[in-house]
Amino acid sequence: MSLRTLIYGVGPIGALIAKYALKKGYEIVGAIDIDPNKVGKDLGDVIGLEEKLGVIVTSKPEEAFKPRRPDIVFHATTSWLDKALPQLVLAIKNRVNVISTCETLSYPYYRYPHIAELLDNYAKSHGVTVLGTGINPGFLLDTLPAILTLPHIRVDKITAIRSIDAGKRRKSFQKKIGLGLEPNTFMEKLSRGELTAHVGYAESVLLMASMLNVELTKVEEKQEPVIAEEEARTEYFEIKQGTVKGIKGYGIGYIGGKEFIRIEFHAIVGANEYEEIRIEGEPSITWRSTGTQGDMGTAAVIVNLAPRVVEEEPGLKTMADLVKASYIHA
Ligand SMILES: NC(=O)c1ccc[n+]([C@@H]2O[C@H](COP(=O)([O-])OP(=O)(O)OC[C@H]3O[C@@H](n4cnc5c(N)ncnc54)[C@H](OP(=O)(O)O)[C@@H]3O)[C@@H](O)[C@H]2O)c1
């Protein structure tokens, strides 16, 4: 499918999305970023291609939409929907669909119910579709386990765990999980919002529940640092003994007093990489992968779903609107 696309946020993820968009034969008609090191440069140079693309990265979003209207914006600037809102509103105002890696947009009704309602109405009135997705949240710990329930007649509990070697991830990821920080500094920065670590535990739980048509009575999430027992280093950070070498976190969805959904994300330097999904019920099955590369996976999810988003009915969507295959909770 031929698509005109605009890259909004040319960080590591936006850059990979741009590369994959070209591989899929999509056209890139604009690129927006605020980083002075990227603004004014050809997108091909910014994302490390050997050829120029004839698209100059601009910090003036209004201008990027003008020359040729894109069919869809590939949005990758922030984890927080309130921060992303003006960027999304601008795309919608220009009658352009949006697919975004913004974690809190993957299930926006949890943290930002009012913004979600506003966005849905605004998107509908402008005839465009908005979707937040990615690898996690968006696929591995929500959509995938929901699909895997299809061959079950009864489900009592779903546990989904993703473990990654944080040392193999991009610098911005290693920074946001606080590698090399003193544990106290980590906790302070996390509580002040200066560090995000992983965003989206509750979103994954609620997204999965909405796919299964299950009403949860309570959702909780928590994450904490994992402390290095010996020195380690990554390409970007030195990790002294007693400092942070990763994070472990979880999200739980309860029905009554019982855990029905449990998701865990472990991002630790040197950890084994895998996803494991356990479905207890009739029958009980455990699925295990050899690990999914998150950055590549995120960019692939975005470009693969782009044509579906363009064709989808207008409004604010979640993966539950696009993927409909699971067991029936009765
Ligand atoms: N759902 C998922 O599975 C998933 C997976 C991977 C990543 N993500 C999320 O996707 C986002 C992008 O990831 P990343 O690693 O590429 O992040 P990043 O390193 O922070 O890059 C974001 C880029 O967008 C720019 N930017 C920030 N605010 C902007 C604005 N208002 N207008 C234009 N450009 C702006 C940044 O410029 P400055 O550097 O100057 O701020 C930077 O160049 C992050 O929020 C990340 O958490 C989600």
Side-chain angles (χ1 to χ4, degrees), residues 51-281:
E51 53 174 336
K52 301 224 184 276
L53 293 173
V55 174
I56 304 299
V57 177
T58 177
S59 58
K60 298 187 178 120
E62 295 81 6
E63 285 180 10
F65 285 88
K66 276 183 196 149
R68 292 181 61 210
R69 190 160 69 91
D71 298 306
I72 190 161
V73 166
F74 291 144
H75 177 262
T77 64
T78 175
S79 304
W80 305 110
L81 181 50
D82 53 348
K83 284 194 185 148
L85 185 62
Q87 302 154 25
L88 304 181
V89 164
L90 182 72
I92 298 169
K93 196 172 98 184
N94 281 281
R95 299 186 185 277
V96 180
N97 302 287
V98 180
I99 184 163
S100 172
T101 60
C102 174
E103 288 93 334
T104 50
L105 185 61
S106 64
Y107 192 84
Y109 311 100
Y110 173 61
R111 253 172 262 262
Y112 301 101
H114 299 304
I115 294 181
E117 195 186 336
L118 186 152
L119 271 180
D120 187 39
N121 290 333
Y122 199 53
K124 281 181 180 147
S125 67
H126 287 73
V128 297
T129 306
V130 176
L131 174 74
T133 188
I135 204 75
N136 176 33
F139 184 67
L140 291 172
L141 297 184
D142 33 58
T143 303
L144 180 63
I147 294 170
L148 290 177
T149 63
L150 189 60
H152 294 255
I153 200 66
R154 194 189 82 242
V155 172
D156 301 324
K157 183 174 174 185
I158 303 162
T159 306
I161 302 169
R162 169 161 163 77
S163 170
I164 65 167
D165 179 350
K168 294 185 181 161
R169 298 294 300 272
R170 65 192 188 279
K171 188 179 180 187
S172 57
F173 179 85
Q174 295 187 8
K175 190 173 173 213
K176 76 178 180 180
I177 64 165
L179 289 191
L181 292 180
E182 296 291 336
N184 286 346
T185 313
F186 175 96
M187 294 311 289
E188 279 165 27
K189 281 180 177 275
L190 192 65
S191 67
R192 286 202 298 264
E194 290 167 23
L195 265 188
T196 56
H198 177 67
V199 179
Y201 298 99
E203 279 79 0
S204 281
V205 168
L206 285 155
L207 180 57
M208 196 198 310
S210 74
M211 290 178 152
L212 302 174
N213 229 343
V214 167
E215 203 149 319
L216 299 173
T217 45
K218 187 173 82 168
V219 174
E220 59 187 40
E221 59 175 7
K222 191 176 174 193
Q223 58 188 341
E224 55 193 28
V226 176
I227 307 306
E229 284 166 11
E230 51 196 50
E231 276 189 18
R233 61 163 47 242
T234 72
E235 195 183 336
Y236 311 107
F237 292 93
E238 209 168 306
I239 300 160
K240 296 204 176 87
Q241 193 186 21
T243 66
V244 174
K245 69 164 185 176
I247 57 159
K248 264 188 180 184
Y250 64 78
I252 304 173
Y254 294 87
I255 299 181
K258 279 178 70 181
E259 284 188 16
F260 179 67
I261 294 172
R262 180 181 184 94
I263 62 145
E264 291 183 24
F265 179 54
H266 309 169
I268 303 164
V269 173
N272 285 338
E273 300 205 303
Y274 65 88
E275 284 86 34
E276 186 172 292
I277 298 168
R278 295 195 290 269
I279 300 170
E280 293 164 52

